[in-house]
Amino acid sequence: MRLSLHRAMLSYGGGLLLHTASSGPVAGLDTLYLALQDADGITATGEVRINIAYLNGLAAEDVAAEALALLPHLDLTPAPETLLAAPPPLLSRAAAPLRMLVDLALHDLAAKRAGQPLAAFLGKSEPGKPEAGPVSYATNQTLFISDDATFLRQAQAYVGRGFRDLKVRIGAADFTEDLARIRSLRERFGVGVKIAVDANAAWSLADAPARLEALAPFDLAYVEQPVAPVGFDVLARLAEASPIPIMLDESVRGEDDAMRLAAGGHRLMAHLKLVKLGGLAPALRAARALAVAGVPCMIGQMNEGGLATAAALHLCVATQPRFAELYGADGLSNDPAPGLVYADGLVSTPALPGLGLSFARERTETLWEN
């Protein structure tokens, strides 16, 4: 098995600036890629974004250094299904972003060997069964923190392209300004657009009940992570009294947290991200457990490049979550794995084996190869 590690800084065109209450302004997506080539010449690639210390506390340079220390000692010659079912201890002890990086590459390889799009492979469809049309799923689009003119212009652009599921980042300004922005969306688009908000844990627990009541007239689909991660019992009580469903993101820090929510007995929803859980394998287990428990979930992502976004897309198709957040690669100007299509409220990738996208390593910096 040949391996190589690559890095690139991905940028958006059109003046889009990522800005949330937790991240602050973000200029680009610092991204690692793991490329594999087996003895038969089949190539596969994994991806992970690493400048997300505001989410996981891990500095990008530390994650890159861990990858460079790990990969030369990692034996990926066994069948990818074997490695995914029982990761070697060296990989199991790695940080979640590194586990995701390897997990995606192994899933891409396994699905390509089976001749299936990854969604079919995850869903255990018949090997080699032809797929009709692209792999597609409905996604939201996020409106980041910006001035009012930019906010409404971006919202109009998304709706004009057929996206009628909008999530608004709030919590960085006075709450009255957040209310005004939500009101402006409802006044412009009416009930034909689904609106949700994400406070990124910016509210205090004391302020949350009154703010949830103030948002209730706007018919929101959910409020995501209104307060900082605290005990699930406290969050469950907040959700029980809330007039709006509450979704947890920052509180779902790994598979154990997702499985605790899958125990049920509450009104909370869960946002599953591959980079927090460590890849597709744990996210698939969590999504299935939540579905059995009747706990609604969203499969989503950080803002990420095409390969990581495609992985979340295939997982959505395989598990059919109530909500999906797959906007992350929309508008990237220098993605080394282009090919995702955003239109009419959907994100789509070709129904090709694996993730469905090709990786152009020449558009990245090579950090290491064996």
Side-chain angles (χ1 to χ4, degrees), residues 13 18 23-24 59 62 73-74 133 147-148 159 167 191 220 273 337 348 353 370:
L18 311 187
S23 69
D62 290 342
H73 304 286
L74 193 61
D147 61 85
D148 291 344
V159 174
K167 187 171 88 170
V191 296
L220 302 182
K273 292 178 177 175
S348 305
N370 65 1

Side-chain angles (χ1 to χ4, degrees), residues 61-219:
E61 293 303 329
D62 290 342
V63 178
E66 184 180 1
L68 287 167
L70 169 71
L71 293 175
H73 304 286
L74 193 61
D75 181 10
L76 297 184
T77 54
E81 293 89 342
T82 299
L83 292 167
L84 289 165
L90 190 64
L91 182 59
S92 297
R93 293 192 296 267
L98 268 296
R99 300 199 307 271
M100 173 182 169
L101 179 67
V102 176
D103 172 283
L104 264 60
L106 291 174
H107 272 98
D108 192 29
L109 180 61
K112 284 178 174 176
R113 286 180 173 178
Q116 293 180 302
L118 182 57
F121 180 81
L122 293 174
K124 304 301 181 186
S125 297
E126 181 181 345
K129 181 180 178 181
E131 299 295 319
V135 177
S136 301
Y137 209 79
T139 179
N140 67 13
Q141 289 280 5
T142 282
L143 295 165
F144 290 101
I145 294 163
S146 64
D147 61 85
D148 291 344
T150 300
F151 176 81
L152 288 174
R153 183 172 65 250
Q154 189 66 69
Q156 187 64 63
Y158 286 140
V159 174
R161 293 168 57 202
F163 293 93
R164 297 182 174 275
D165 184 347
L166 304 178
K167 187 171 88 170
V168 180
R169 303 292 185 140
I170 63 174
D174 188 86
F175 182 63
T176 59
E177 296 179 34
D178 292 332
L179 285 175
R181 286 153 64 88
I182 304 303
R183 183 178 296 107
S184 69
L185 289 182
R186 273 286 173 247
E187 290 174 350
R188 176 166 296 199
F189 301 115
V191 296
V193 169
K194 181 190 295 183
I195 301 173
V197 300
D198 186 353
N200 286 116
W203 298 352
S204 71
L205 191 60
D207 287 339
R211 293 184 176 188
L212 290 165
E213 290 290 343
L215 287 167
F218 299 109
D219 189 27

Side-chain angles (χ1 to χ4, degrees), residues 293-336:
V295 177
C297 84
M298 176 157 70
I299 291 174
Q301 54 169 174
M302 311 299 294
N303 283 75
E304 293 168 295
L307 289 166
T309 302
L313 163 60
H314 283 278
L315 182 60
C316 285
V317 174
T319 61
Q320 300 290 301
R322 182 181 298 185
F323 304 100
E325 185 164 291
L326 307 169
Y327 63 80
D330 189 19
L332 287 172
S333 60
N334 61 337
D335 196 328

